[in-house]
Amino acid sequence: MIAKKRIGIIGLKGLPASGGAARATENLMRELSSDYNFTVYSIDSHTTSDHKSKHYHQIIFKSTFGKRLNTFQYYIKSLFHALFLANFDIIQLNHYSSGFILPLLRLKYKVIGVARGYIPNDDNKWNFMDKFLFNFSALLFFYFSNSVVSVS
């Protein structure tokens, strides 16, 4: 019997699904769980440790206060866990704003980038520095991904 491939998933933040990215990926994992072992990196603000599934395993990090810092720390913790404590066959990285971790992930893994959402340049929600960082992360995301999938 051939061993199941191991896939690490970064960028969902928690299951059961509460949003589009998580809902779509949760459905895929349900359909493909007989062929693959999935590990989802999560944060306790988006899931609970008592949530169990036969279709995937969750690694849950403790959240911090502040939405921006919380998201940044989630990606950094996921990166370091994947590099030093895990062994996957492939990484699925969701959201092109997470591209800042991709060059380091590529040191060890092949990465499928899943581009979700779009931040228009005229969006007033973000300041100049935020937009610059999003665009830089997007550049890294598209340049360093082994394969990119776009959801529409």
Side-chain angles (χ1 to χ4, degrees), residues 113-148:
V114 182
R116 299 178 185 275
Y118 171 70
I119 300 169
N121 286 330
D122 62 349
D123 187 344
N124 293 330
K125 179 179 178 182
W126 308 103
N127 64 37
F128 173 79
M129 184 55 77
D130 291 334
K131 290 177 188 176
F132 173 80
L133 292 173
F134 283 137
N135 288 334
F136 183 67
S137 276
L139 178 73
L140 294 173
F141 182 88
F142 291 112
Y143 184 78
F144 283 99
S145 291
N146 292 94
S147 181
V148 176

Side-chain angles (χ1 to χ4, degrees), residues 10 16 29 53-54 104 113 123 141 150:
I10 299 173
M29 289 187 297
S53 173
K54 64 180 180 179
L104 293 173
D123 187 344
F141 182 88
S150 177

Side-chain angles (χ1 to χ4, degrees), residues 19 29 31 34 64 68 75 85 107-108 112 132 135 137:
M29 289 187 297
E31 293 294 321
S34 62
T64 59
R68 286 184 181 182
Y75 283 119
L85 300 173
L107 294 173
K108 186 174 179 182
I112 295 175
F132 173 80
N135 288 334
S137 276

Side-chain angles (χ1 to χ4, degrees), residues 60-102:
I60 304 171
F61 299 119
K62 183 164 177 39
S63 61
T64 59
F65 58 89
K67 186 175 182 178
R68 286 184 181 182
L69 185 59
N70 199 32
T71 301
F72 179 74
Q73 285 186 349
Y74 161 76
Y75 283 119
I76 295 298
K77 289 175 183 179
S78 299
L79 167 69
F80 281 102
H81 187 279
L83 286 178
F84 299 113
L85 300 173
N87 189 22
F88 301 112
D89 294 298
I90 199 160
I91 296 282
Q92 175 187 324
L93 185 63
N94 292 278
H95 307 289
Y96 61 85
S97 59
S98 63
F100 70 97
I101 67 171
L102 222 158

Side-chain angles (χ1 to χ4, degrees), residues 12-16 18 42-49 58 60-67 70-71 74:
L12 297 187
K13 297 185 191 139
L15 296 170
S18 62
S42 303
I43 195 157
D44 66 1
S45 60
H46 289 71
T47 191
T48 61
S49 59
Q58 284 192 100
I60 304 171
F61 299 119
K62 183 164 177 39
S63 61
T64 59
F65 58 89
K67 186 175 182 178
N70 199 32
T71 301
Y74 161 76

